[in-house]
Amino acid sequence: MIKLEHLSKTFDSIRAVDDISLEIEKGEIFGFLGPNGAGKTTTISMISGLLKPDSGKIYVDSMDLESNLRKIKKIMGVVPQDMAFYEELSAKENLLFWGRLQGVSRKNLEDRIRSYLELTGLLGRENEPLKKYSGGMKRRINLVIGLIHQPKLLLLDEPTIGIDIQTKLNIFKLIKQASSNGTTILYTTHNLMEAEELCHRIAIMDNGKILALGTLEELIQIVGEKDIIIISGKFSVDHGRKITSLFKDATVLSLKEGKIILSLEASKKMPLLLEEFFRQGISIDDVSIKQPNLESVFLKLTGRELRE
Amino acid sequence: MNNIVHLIKKDFKRKWKNPVVILGFLLIPVIFTMIFGIVFGSSEEQTLPQVPILAVDKDKSFLSQFFITALSQGELKKFVSFKVVEEEEGRRLLDKGKASALLVIPENFTEDVWNNRSAEILLLKNPAEQFLPQIAEEIVDTASLLFSALFSVFNDEVSLIRDAIKKESFTDGDVSSLSIQVKNRLEGISRFVFPPVISLKQETISEKGEETGPSLSVQGYILPAMAIMFLLFICNIVFEDILREKEMGTLRRMNVSPLKLSEFIWSKTITSALIGMICTSMLVVLGIALFSIHWGNLFVIFLIILCLNIMLAGFISLIYSFIQTERQAGAVLSSVIIVMSMLGGSMIPVENFPPLVQKISQLTLNYWGLTAFHKAMQHAPFQEMAPLLVGMLGAGIVFSVAGSFFLKRNLRKGLIR
């Protein structure tokens, strides 16, 4: 459904997207995972036609985006990070407007609006102006606007920022339903749990590059059986290096004064590691062990935690 | 085209749900007109306020009375109200602000005039007023000049009359002799006084009066003048929406739909023109209902409303091509609208400006619109209206096309954050 070939984009001297290539299948939920500034939104903006890439090609539904932009826009839905609708209009008026703009007939729209409002639990409040809605309700409408014309491709740019768990689950339900109906979904997030729960495949991005791409299981294999251990305390970089050099199977992912992140089989080596710290007279403030998951993959790939 | 219709419908719904600002701008011209009506009178015939002048006749002669009467005759009667009072009372009333000026005719007025000596008339002006005492001064000044000219030309005949009055005997022979002398004098000066150009001038005035139709009332001037100024502000409100939509993210969202950016811009121009037309029509109706304004032929007025609002919407769209933020819009648009309104006659009649400024005034949208309204009110023939209408429509189309082109470029830049 989507094919990106050596896509790059630079703003002034910053390379926001750096030579990324990938393919996404029809009906797939594909996640772009990365911290702020990783290049996720820039990639989505290029796919939606808002930004022109400096180099590289984008194909949507086997059509070259550059020469078929208008056709592609008809089969594409976009849900931006911000809530982009008219707050003084009601949910129904907004959905009618956005649907008509996408070329959906009035009759079809009425039916769709009803069914989406029912799915999102907003039926009965469709005539209230959106300014009276809660944040979560607005998020749901923001998503439905992107879905109302039943697009073949849906681009979701962090659609769950600042919402309660109930709304998040409702949004996930809608996304999964759209995917099962054949809509390809491109989902950007910096939330590991969301990516794990929702996406069929995930691309981990940082500094404009795709660091790893695959299913959750494939990505976890990058860290293997080892756990990710994070130790904070009062020690210097030299101390940290000296201690970890004693453990041959340990891989140091990040080392700075007072904090070390390493990959090691915790169940076997953890007591010895801590003992070594104590033996050197180092006081430890905090120790955490992470089982192999997306977070540990991200740590392994970037040497830092996603929220840093 | 369908998309433009959807966008216009959406904008109308939004404005309908929040009409306060537009209604505010719509009411201001009505309130201004009402205030001006109260201050300057509401009769359609009365285009200027009457200047109240007090007159003190210390001479109490035929000539002094003739002078005062002459000042309140004919057309002057419409603008000047004279009241003869004693000097003490006159000064008291002037101090109280009950009159714009006090005219004092000295005791020896007739004697001085008869003897061909310079007679001085005193005019005391009310310092609390600005314009009306000035008008009084102009009127008295002109009357004095005319009297002086009259007495200079008929000096000999005046002497004859004076002597006869002194003798208190007027024989038939005196009358015949005086008549022949006046006739000869008139014949002698007729070469200068009655050349064809003078009679032509009189005729021109009367013809012009017929051509221009009914004179404009104060409200007939103020309402369209203010309306055009505030229509520009109303257009601005619609176009401000572009910046707001950019801020809200709806413009970005539209830009990833099949909608063309030019369709979005044209929808704003059309919405602005339509809202402007509705507002102008409401003002026309209010003008009739509240101020009995005679707008002239209503079909012509409809054409003016149409062409004017297309021109105003196009102009504002062009201005928005150079604006990026709401703050910029506030500063630039307010300045442009106020300066243009001042020059174009929305605040001060253009005739009051020096010739160079009057020429500049003709470049403003307010001038065009206002001229069209005034011509329609004065029942100008359609041939006279047509160039104005075509000019406004043409300017509107050029502005809108240029605005669409440049605004599209401006918006493209702003869509990327």
Side-chain angles (χ1 to χ4, degrees), chain A residues 45 48 50-51 70 73-74 78 80 82-86 88 93 97-98 100 102 142 145-146, chain B residues 3 6-7 10 13-14 17 245 248-250 252-260 263 415-417:
Chain A
S45 295
S48 63
L50 273 174
L51 271 178
R70 236 172 118 71
K73 279 180 173 180
K74 281 185 185 169
V78 178
D82 306 317
M83 284 181 264
F85 44 65
Y86 301 100
E88 60 275 59
E93 286 168 330
F97 167 70
W98 291 105
R100 297 290 281 147
Q102 290 285 354
N142 201 36
I145 290 172
Chain B
N3 284 339
H6 298 318
L7 288 162
K10 176 263 298 172
K13 270 185 197 164
R14 292 181 64 213
K17 296 199 175 193
E245 294 223 30
M248 291 192 303
T250 46
R252 206 175 152 88
R253 189 165 214 164
M254 278 184 226
N255 208 39
V256 292
S257 76
L259 179 82
K260 290 179 187 164
E263 289 176 319
L415 279 172
I416 310 305
R417 276 181 289 179

Side-chain angles (χ1 to χ4, degrees), chain B residues 260-363:
Chain B
K260 290 179 187 164
L261 205 48
S262 54
E263 289 176 319
F264 173 75
I265 295 164
W266 277 105
S267 79
K268 293 290 178 198
T269 310
I270 297 169
T271 305
S272 169
L274 286 175
I275 290 180
M277 284 178 71
I278 294 168
C279 291
T280 325
S281 306
M282 286 167 78
L283 286 172
V284 167
V285 173
L286 285 172
I288 296 167
L290 298 176
F291 311 116
S292 310
I293 293 174
H294 295 298
W295 294 93
N297 185 320
L298 284 181
F299 178 67
V300 174
I301 287 293
F302 168 76
L303 290 179
I304 295 172
I305 291 172
L306 177 76
C307 299
L308 171 71
N309 282 292
I310 290 173
M311 177 173 70
L312 299 184
F315 176 75
I316 299 290
S317 80
L318 190 57
I319 298 276
Y320 265 84
S321 308
F322 309 102
I323 284 171
Q324 295 287 350
T325 62
E326 277 191 62
R327 191 177 285 187
Q328 275 178 14
V332 173
L333 261 299
S334 303
S335 313
V336 169
I337 293 172
I338 289 171
V339 170
M340 201 163 63
S341 300
M342 190 166 268
L343 282 173
S346 280
M347 296 180 183
I348 304 160
V350 172
E351 298 76 39
N352 293 353
F353 293 133
L356 177 68
V357 182
Q358 283 191 31
K359 280 188 180 154
I360 298 169
S361 301
Q362 290 174 14
L363 300 173

Side-chain angles (χ1 to χ4, degrees), chain A residues 47-78:
Chain A
I47 297 170
S48 63
L50 273 174
L51 271 178
K52 269 193 175 174
D54 294 337
S55 61
K57 283 274 179 194
I58 301 167
Y59 297 94
V60 177
D61 206 18
S62 308
M63 291 182 280
D64 178 14
L65 184 89
E66 204 179 344
S67 46
N68 297 284
L69 187 58
R70 236 172 118 71
K71 269 190 200 167
I72 290 171
K73 279 180 173 180
K74 281 185 185 169
I75 58 163
M76 186 162 63
V78 178

Side-chain angles (χ1 to χ4, degrees), chain B residues 167-183:
Chain B
K167 279 194 288 179
E168 289 183 355
S169 68
F170 244 118
T171 63
D172 290 347
D174 289 339
V175 173
S176 305
S177 152
L178 188 63
S179 302
I180 291 163
Q181 205 170 329
V182 169
K183 180 179 171 279

Side-chain angles (χ1 to χ4, degrees), chain A residues 48-307:
Chain A
S48 63
L50 273 174
L51 271 178
K52 269 193 175 174
D54 294 337
S55 61
K57 283 274 179 194
I58 301 167
Y59 297 94
V60 177
D61 206 18
S62 308
M63 291 182 280
D64 178 14
L65 184 89
E66 204 179 344
S67 46
N68 297 284
L69 187 58
R70 236 172 118 71
K71 269 190 200 167
I72 290 171
K73 279 180 173 180
K74 281 185 185 169
I75 58 163
M76 186 162 63
V78 178
V79 179
Q81 260 180 49
D82 306 317
M83 284 181 264
F85 44 65
Y86 301 100
E87 293 221 331
E88 60 275 59
L89 300 185
S90 68
K92 191 174 175 182
E93 286 168 330
N94 264 289
L95 292 172
L96 274 172
F97 167 70
W98 291 105
R100 297 290 281 147
L101 214 59
Q102 290 285 354
V104 186
S105 71
R106 172 102 195 189
K107 195 187 165 300
N108 281 343
L109 262 179
E110 296 276 358
D111 297 339
R112 280 186 207 176
I113 288 170
R114 202 182 157 73
S115 89
Y116 276 119
L117 288 175
E118 203 167 354
L119 269 170
T120 49
L122 296 171
L123 199 65
R125 300 193 63 173
E126 67 270 29
N127 293 320
E128 281 179 35
L130 291 184
K131 61 184 169 198
K132 288 189 178 172
Y133 277 28
S134 69
M137 289 156 82
K138 285 178 183 174
R139 278 273 168 217
R140 280 178 260 173
I141 288 295
N142 201 36
L143 174 63
V144 174
I145 290 172
L147 282 168
I148 195 76
H149 58 294
Q150 297 180 337
K152 283 186 173 180
L153 169 64
L154 181 64
L155 309 178
L156 296 156
D157 193 6
E158 312 222 18
T160 55
I161 288 178
I163 54 169
D164 57 279
I165 189 72
Q166 194 191 345
T167 306
K168 195 179 273 190
L169 291 175
N170 192 277
I171 286 177
F172 284 2
K173 193 170 119 188
L174 276 174
I175 293 170
K176 283 176 181 168
Q177 194 196 53
S179 162
S180 64
N181 289 338
T183 301
T184 306
I185 289 158
L186 218 162
Y187 189 96
T188 77
T189 183
H190 59 258
N191 188 311
L192 296 156
M193 307 281 278
E194 282 181 16
E196 278 179 2
E197 187 179 336
L198 202 61
C199 301
H200 299 139
R201 282 196 306 152
I202 299 156
I204 296 177
M205 282 190 85
D206 197 27
N207 296 322
K209 285 180 186 290
I210 291 180
L211 303 178
L213 192 159
T215 60
L216 182 62
E217 293 74 29
E218 285 166 348
L219 289 173
I220 285 172
Q221 276 178 12
I222 293 171
V223 282
E225 298 296 308
K226 292 176 186 174
D227 303 299
I228 300 290
I229 299 164
I230 304 166
I231 301 170
S232 306
K234 291 174 185 63
F235 57 88
S236 65
V237 172
D238 282 343
H239 269 121
R241 200 173 288 138
K242 196 175 164 190
I243 293 166
T244 49
S245 67
L246 300 172
F247 297 85
K248 295 260 182 322
D249 52 348
T251 313
V252 178
L253 303 175
S254 166
L255 174 59
K256 52 189 174 187
E257 192 171 331
K259 188 172 184 180
I260 186 166
I261 303 172
L262 63 149
S263 149
L264 190 70
E265 214 174 329
S267 55
K268 290 180 183 167
K269 301 289 171 66
M270 194 64 191
L272 294 170
L273 181 67
L274 291 176
E275 193 184 317
E276 195 56 40
F277 269 93
F278 293 135
R279 214 161 57 77
Q280 301 264 348
I282 295 166
S283 74
I284 291 170
D285 299 333
D286 188 47
V287 176
S288 67
I289 303 164
K290 296 186 186 296
Q291 299 297 318
N293 61 8
L294 266 184
E295 192 176 0
S296 54
V297 175
F298 189 82
L299 273 167
K300 166 119 190 181
L301 291 172
T302 65
R304 58 198 168 90
E305 288 170 277
L306 194 53
R307 61 179 171 273

